[in-house]
């Protein structure tokens, strides 16, 4: 079985850090393996703590009286040098639970009021891009109300709020840059009948 030897922290940044792992392969070979992480220090790395605490939340927000639209954001992302469609999302702050983080992030990014619903194990944190990071995010499901605005966004954010029906979601999946977590949830939204969150209540 492969295992991890020494770990060296390479950066000291606020939101994301770079670590070099000593990767000991199952055939005995040793090589460096580079990992990006939200962890502030080595003991917080999931490979060390073996605790899957959510780094962030992704927000599946249904909008409208008929529950027939979904709240998306179109955000400029520097790694792409372009805009990409995503669900509203953000980091969980120290001492904050996922529901509180979801309500806060939805308001900050879209100006909307978010009413989370109980989702049980569907909301537990899952890993994002495990070949390069130990980041994990939980999904918070709920209903949105209010008028969209970008007036609560940080100056460093370039986010457009999008309220999309099923036809627009099909177009987005066909034509636009889309984050993979968002893409899968849009496929679910398009395939659902009536309230797309009904599956949580069964």
């Amino acid at each position: 079985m492969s295992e991890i030897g020494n770990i060296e922290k390479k950066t000291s940044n606020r939101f994301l850090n770079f670590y070099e792992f000593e990767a000991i392969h199952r055939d005995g070979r040793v090589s460096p393996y580079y990992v990006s992480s939200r962890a502030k220090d080595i003991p917080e790395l999931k490979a060390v703590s073996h605790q899957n605490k959510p780094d962030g939340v992704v927000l599946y927000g249904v909008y409208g009286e008929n529950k027939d639209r979904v709240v998306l954001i179109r955000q400029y992302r520097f790694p792409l040098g372009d805009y990409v469609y995503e669900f509203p999302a953000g980091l969980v702050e120290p001492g904050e639970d996922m529901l509180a983080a979801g309500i806060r992030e939805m308001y900050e990014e879209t100006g909307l009021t978010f009413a989370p619903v109980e989702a049980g194990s569907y909301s537990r944190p899952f890993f994002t891009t495990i070949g390069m990071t130990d980041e994990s995010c939980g999904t918070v499901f709920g209903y949105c109300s209010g008028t969209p605005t970008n007036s609560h966004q940080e100056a460093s954010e370039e986010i457009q709020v999008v309220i999309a029906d099923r036809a627009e979601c099909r177009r987005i999946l066909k034509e636009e840059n889309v984050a993979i977590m968002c893409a899968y949830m849009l496929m679910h939204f398009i395939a659902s009948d009536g309230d797309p969150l009904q599956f949580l209540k069964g």
Side-chain angles (χ1 to χ4, degrees):
M1 175 178 161
S2 300
E3 59 184 27
I4 299 166
N6 294 325
I7 300 175
E8 184 179 349
K9 185 181 180 186
K10 294 292 191 178
T11 61
S12 292
N13 298 313
R14 181 180 176 190
F15 295 115
L16 187 67
N17 283 295
F18 193 52
Y19 294 85
E20 181 178 334
F21 285 23
E22 181 184 41
I24 304 170
H25 301 274
R26 58 190 176 91
D27 62 1
R29 290 181 303 111
V30 177
S31 65
Y33 195 101
Y34 299 100
V35 176
S36 298
S37 179
R38 302 288 186 185
K40 300 284 193 269
D41 217 333
I42 291 171
E44 296 179 22
L45 288 165
K46 293 182 176 69
V48 176
S49 71
H50 299 288
Q51 294 182 359
N52 185 13
K53 294 180 179 178
D55 299 292
V57 287
V58 179
L59 312 175
Y60 189 151
V62 175
Y63 188 87
E65 284 187 22
N66 296 325
K67 301 178 175 62
D68 58 352
R69 288 174 285 172
V70 68
V71 179
L72 304 173
I73 59 171
R74 180 176 179 265
Q75 182 167 197
Y76 185 87
R77 291 293 197 179
F78 286 102
L80 300 183
D82 203 350
Y83 289 90
V84 62
Y85 282 80
E86 306 172 63
F87 274 89
L91 297 179
V92 178
E93 295 181 351
E96 188 177 44
D97 64 34
M98 289 202 320
L99 294 185
I103 292 167
R104 175 182 55 77
E105 286 290 348
M106 183 67 81
Y107 182 74
E108 289 175 0
E109 292 194 351
T110 72
L112 298 173
T113 299
F114 187 48
V117 300
E118 174 58 42
S121 62
Y122 289 112
S123 279
R124 75 184 187 91
F126 295 105
F127 296 101
T128 57
T129 310
I130 52 176
M132 61 180 288
T133 180
D134 66 352
E135 181 186 60
S136 67
C137 293
T139 304
V140 181
F141 302 84
Y143 301 101
C144 290
S145 60
T147 302
T149 177
N150 60 6
S151 62
H152 307 293
Q153 296 169 12
E154 296 179 13
S156 61
E157 295 176 318
E158 188 172 339
I159 297 173
Q160 301 163 2
V161 185
V162 178
I163 308 295
D165 61 14
R166 288 176 172 86
E168 176 63 3
C169 289
R170 287 188 183 94
R171 186 200 68 79
I172 289 168
L173 286 174
K174 183 177 180 181
E175 300 177 5
E176 304 287 352
N177 294 326
V178 185
I180 193 166
M181 289 185 289
C182 178
Y184 286 141
M185 289 191 278
L186 288 184
M187 293 173 201
H188 167 268
F189 174 71
I190 290 167
S192 63
D193 290 320
D195 182 355
L197 301 187
Q198 185 61 40
F199 77 101
L200 297 172
K201 304 166 188 176

